[in-house]
Amino acid sequence: MNQPFNFKRIGLSIYRDVVLLRNTIVTALLVSGGLLFIGFLFSLWGDRLVTASEFGGLFGKIYVPLGLLFVFSIFKEAHDKKANHFYFALPLSPLERLTATWFATSVLYTLFFTLFAFFVGQLAILLASLLSKTSFHGLSIFSESYGQSVKFYMLVQPLFLLGAIGFTKNRIGKTLLLLLLAFFSFFIYNGILFSMFNMGYDMFSGDSSVSAAFDSTSADFEIIGKWFWFIILGPVMLIAAYFKLIEKEVY
């Protein structure tokens, strides 16, 4: 539908999705909260302390898969033959619909689940301090493992967004297969480029200058690889998801 981009409609769309999925969200939070609580208690078992690294590791194990399932849950209605006509009849442009879903399942979800995990962790520390010799302490959130989990989720989320929109059946399995194919394709492509630029050198001769050049080239290709993944799995997947939404809306 041709209409100006409107942030109010985006907010209403997010509110609608949360209301429709409230039972699923509550169930997911109860299960994930229980797993986090048990995990934090195990972290307190030895040194009676939950470090920022332990928080980040436990957080990432639940944050990433739960967020990806959240993405698929939002677009479940779009594939329901009884409800999809009403879903696509909502006064939302494809860009507004995609923006609402991306923002809800990335930014808002990350902020909310971080606060939720922090609350559960503090509750576990409080209980342990009441029932054992554990000293009550504030939970540190930010660490390298926490940052890596958030970066990884933000990187792959657009691909799963595309899979949730594009695939009708076995959406999660097909999206995982697509991610696997993309990874191996880039691995082969990167190997070919690396060989082409270094085919005139004996990389395994043991010479110090050759080894230094090898390390330098590897570092350069690592940077290229990171930017490649960011562009392909970020903007390109979001653009593909946008056109897929237009296609679904038309048909």
Side-chain angles (χ1 to χ4, degrees):
M1 56 186 303
N2 296 321
Q3 57 183 345
F5 190 83
N6 190 290
F7 287 101
K8 183 177 180 180
R9 285 194 294 268
I10 291 175
L12 292 174
S13 177
I14 294 174
Y15 176 76
R16 176 184 180 273
D17 289 334
V18 172
V19 170
L20 290 178
L21 294 172
R22 60 186 181 278
N23 292 332
T24 301
I25 292 174
V26 169
T27 301
L29 289 177
L30 289 175
V31 174
S32 59
L35 294 174
L36 285 170
F37 190 79
I38 294 172
F40 285 127
L41 289 180
F42 272 107
S43 297
L44 290 166
W45 187 270
D47 56 4
R48 305 184 187 279
L49 177 70
V50 178
T51 64
S53 178
E54 289 172 336
F55 173 86
L58 185 58
F59 168 87
K61 289 180 176 63
I62 300 177
Y63 159 77
V64 173
L66 189 64
L68 298 179
L69 290 175
F70 184 32
V71 173
F72 284 98
S73 297
I74 287 183
F75 281 108
K76 183 179 180 180
E77 185 181 4
H79 300 286
D80 188 339
K81 294 182 179 180
K82 296 181 179 179
N84 60 358
H85 295 292
F86 175 75
Y87 177 76
F88 286 109
L90 293 172
L92 284 168
S93 68
L95 181 58
E96 289 170 342
R97 197 186 305 275
L98 180 65
T99 301
T101 305
W102 175 84
F103 189 74
T105 57
S106 58
V107 179
L108 293 182
Y109 167 69
T110 299
L111 292 174
F112 177 81
F113 196 77
T114 299
L115 293 175
F116 176 74
F118 173 79
F119 173 78
V120 173
Q122 287 294 169
L123 189 62
I125 294 172
L126 175 61
L127 180 64
S129 66
L130 294 175
L131 301 179
S132 67
K133 296 180 180 179
T134 300
S135 299
F136 182 78
H137 56 276
L139 187 60
S140 298
I141 296 178
F142 303 107
S143 65
E144 183 178 355
S145 56
Y146 172 85
Q148 288 175 347
S149 297
V150 173
K151 288 179 182 178
F152 175 77
Y153 177 76
M154 293 295 186
L155 182 66
V156 302
Q157 190 258 7
L159 174 64
F160 281 82
L161 196 63
L162 174 62
I165 299 170
F167 297 124
T168 303
K169 297 181 179 179
N170 301 320
R171 295 183 295 156
I172 297 178
K174 290 179 180 178
T175 306
L176 288 172
L177 180 61
L178 182 62
L179 179 63
L180 190 64
L181 289 174
F183 172 78
F184 278 111
S185 297
F186 172 70
F187 181 80
I188 294 172
Y189 178 71
N190 191 53
I192 293 173
L193 284 181
F194 188 88
S195 299
M196 288 175 58
F197 286 119
N198 294 275
M199 60 186 305
Y201 302 94
D202 186 2
M203 294 179 292
F204 303 102
S205 63
D207 184 83
S208 59
S209 60
V210 174
S211 298
F214 178 82
D215 294 337
S216 178
T217 305
S218 299
D220 292 339
F221 270 82
E222 183 180 357
I223 295 174
I224 295 173
K226 288 180 178 179
W227 276 103
F228 180 88
W229 275 111
F230 171 76
I231 294 172
I232 295 298
L233 293 180
V236 172
M237 290 297 105
L238 288 175
I239 292 172
Y242 169 73
F243 284 107
K244 200 65 182 180
L245 267 178
I246 295 177
E247 178 186 329
K248 291 281 185 180
E249 192 173 82
V250 172
Y251 294 101

